[in-house]
Amino acid sequence: MNKIAIVTGATGQDGSYLSELLLDKGYTVVGLRRRSSSEKGLERIEHLLNNDNFKLVEADITDSGCVNSLISEYMPHEVYNLAAQSHVGTSFKQPSYTSQVNLQGPINFLEAIRLLSPSTKFYQASTSEMFGKNYEVFADTKYQKETTPFVPQSPYAVAKLAAHEMVRIYRDSYELFACCGILFNHESERRGENFVTRKITKWIGEFVASGQDEDFPALRLGNLDAHRDWGHAQDYVDAMYLMLQQDEPEDYVIATSETHSVREFLTEAFNEIGISNFEPHVVIDPEFYRPCEVDWLLGHTGKARQQLGWRPKVSFPELVQRMVRSDIDAARKEKLERSSLQELEETS
């Protein structure tokens, strides 16, 4: 009998990659999506929908009754909770909603597992944003690791930290196999378009598809000097899986141990299309500044490397290259489809 895994947020970036990984390992995957989630997200898992071992289910993780029913029906071996309101900027505009999804959802799963299926292993997606402006220093290097105190700087980070602590409480109080991956920024060709990395590469794709039109609207961004530890999401879901295969549940920082500024990401991305100076194409817009910025994130991954045997495979330049090329291909395809449709309408 196949192992059964529930993956929340299955239509998202991480959920789609994780579902692929688990299916490849012989799991039956129950992927959860919100009724209100966009149809665009289905593109990430369209290739999985005909797999007999993949089942896509509409569910609301903020509804305890719904979560209880899911656990009772499937009695999963593993639950990976990746569903979240995951945009930091949005959390300042929708703090209550962010808290409801990012905290109440994990609590509902922990409680359902405790009551109905205590052998189920639970993974919670935590975030480097919980560290906020805090870091440690060794040999003139600023970094964050599992023991670095948390100082969240956004409603998103506060809600994620509360969920992180609830996992610890259920682990210690009820001996559940429950753990958290403290994931630093991870991107991919499947990243949502409202995140800065994908915003940049999608703009470049459309700019290239326009023939690099001189009148093409400028790319509008906020703080270019914020530093992030950026990896590829496909590497990071490997770490999620490995955490639930250990003998004991523990929390791990997952990162590349390199940090790059938004400015460096821009430079790398524009270099891909032969432009050495991005500044004529970029406008700094105060609208995109956060009320409280996190300036520096750099993950120390010694624990994950030693205990999980995990290493990131995709380098920063390769990550940027893959995202840029993917968005160029997508923009050219979209332009060609529009032209074909226009020709069809003109001749009909």
Side-chain angles (χ1 to χ4, degrees):
M1 179 182 172
N2 293 357
K3 281 187 173 182
I4 299 173
I6 289 177
V7 176
T8 74
T11 60
Q13 169 188 257
D14 293 6
S16 62
Y17 282 122
L18 180 61
S19 295
E20 289 174 350
L21 174 68
L22 295 173
L23 289 168
D24 285 345
K25 292 184 178 295
Y27 280 67
T28 294
V29 176
V30 181
L32 306 187
R33 69 179 295 232
R34 289 177 296 121
R35 183 181 296 275
S36 60
S37 62
S38 70
E39 293 302 313
K40 192 173 181 63
L42 287 176
E43 295 175 2
R44 300 187 181 104
I45 59 165
E46 190 173 7
H47 60 297
L48 303 180
L49 297 178
N50 292 325
N51 189 317
D52 291 339
N53 290 326
F54 181 77
K55 183 174 183 179
L56 186 62
V57 176
E58 287 186 349
D60 181 358
I61 67 169
T62 66
D63 181 340
S64 61
C66 177
V67 173
N68 288 346
S69 295
L70 288 165
I71 297 298
S72 296
E73 180 178 355
Y74 295 105
M75 299 299 285
H77 296 83
E78 298 167 3
V79 171
Y80 296 85
N81 183 42
L82 312 183
Q85 190 301 97
S86 56
H87 196 267
V88 174
T90 299
S91 76
F92 283 99
K93 299 173 183 176
Q94 301 180 31
S96 296
Y97 173 72
T98 299
S99 178
Q100 184 181 20
V101 176
N102 294 3
L103 174 57
Q104 192 59 52
I107 291 174
N108 288 342
F109 272 108
L110 289 165
E111 189 66 2
I113 290 169
R114 179 181 77 85
L115 294 172
L116 303 169
S117 184
S119 64
T120 294
K121 295 183 176 182
F122 180 75
Y123 170 85
Q124 167 64 15
S126 290
T127 171
S128 58
E129 290 283 337
M130 299 187 306
F131 294 115
K133 294 180 179 244
N134 209 18
Y135 54 80
E136 300 180 45
V137 181
F138 179 76
D140 295 325
T141 299
K142 301 183 291 186
Y143 63 88
Q144 293 94 3
K145 62 180 182 179
E146 290 84 1
T147 56
T148 304
F150 299 119
V151 186
Q153 300 289 317
S154 66
Y156 166 76
V158 168
K160 280 290 191 177
L161 177 55
H164 183 88
E165 292 297 337
M166 289 301 293
V167 170
R168 176 185 59 79
I169 289 168
Y170 272 75
R171 182 171 62 215
D172 294 346
S173 302
Y174 306 116
E175 298 184 351
L176 297 185
F177 193 111
C179 61
C180 299
I182 307 172
L183 271 55
F184 281 61
N185 295 68
H186 47 290
E187 319 298 315
S188 76
E189 304 88 317
R190 301 179 187 177
R191 189 55 147 156
E193 295 173 6
N194 57 338
F195 291 87
V196 65
T197 51
R198 185 71 198 290
K199 183 177 178 180
I200 291 168
T201 62
K202 189 172 189 296
W203 185 93
I204 287 175
E206 293 170 350
F207 178 60
V208 170
S210 76
Q212 300 192 16
D213 185 350
E214 291 182 0
D215 296 324
F216 195 79
L219 172 61
R220 308 185 77 83
L221 297 172
N223 181 13
L224 302 189
D225 296 316
H227 281 71
R228 295 292 182 266
D229 186 325
W230 275 306
H232 196 287
Q234 205 162 13
D235 287 340
Y236 285 40
V237 301
D238 287 342
M240 298 175 192
Y241 170 76
L242 289 171
M243 287 182 215
L244 293 198
Q245 312 316 309
Q246 303 306 300
D247 293 331
E248 298 294 333
E250 295 187 40
D251 303 330
Y252 296 87
V253 161
I254 304 299
T256 68
S257 298
E258 293 182 14
T259 191
H260 299 274
S261 67
V262 177
R263 190 180 302 278
E264 289 175 81
F265 192 102
L266 274 166
T267 299
E268 195 79 34
F270 274 85
N271 281 342
E272 276 297 309
I273 59 170
I275 295 177
S276 58
N277 179 19
F278 63 80
E279 291 186 359
H281 304 283
V282 175
V283 171
I284 304 303
D285 188 337
E287 178 188 346
F288 297 110
Y289 275 79
R290 296 179 185 177
C292 193
E293 181 62 90
V294 173
D295 298 315
W296 180 273
L297 290 172
L298 172 62
H300 185 289
T301 56
K303 182 178 178 181
R305 290 169 186 262
Q306 292 169 13
Q307 294 183 205
L308 302 178
W310 178 83
R311 301 283 190 283
K313 301 181 183 72
V314 180
S315 67
F316 176 71
E318 184 182 353
L319 167 68
V320 179
Q321 180 187 82
R322 285 171 60 168
M323 292 180 69
V324 169
R325 291 182 178 180
S326 174
D327 274 325
I328 289 174
D329 289 344
R332 283 174 170 164
K333 181 181 177 182
E334 184 178 346
K335 182 179 180 182
L336 183 61
E337 289 173 349
R338 283 200 308 266
S339 297
S340 299
L341 181 61
Q342 185 177 355
E343 289 177 9
L344 184 63
E345 290 173 345
E346 289 174 352
T347 56
S348 62

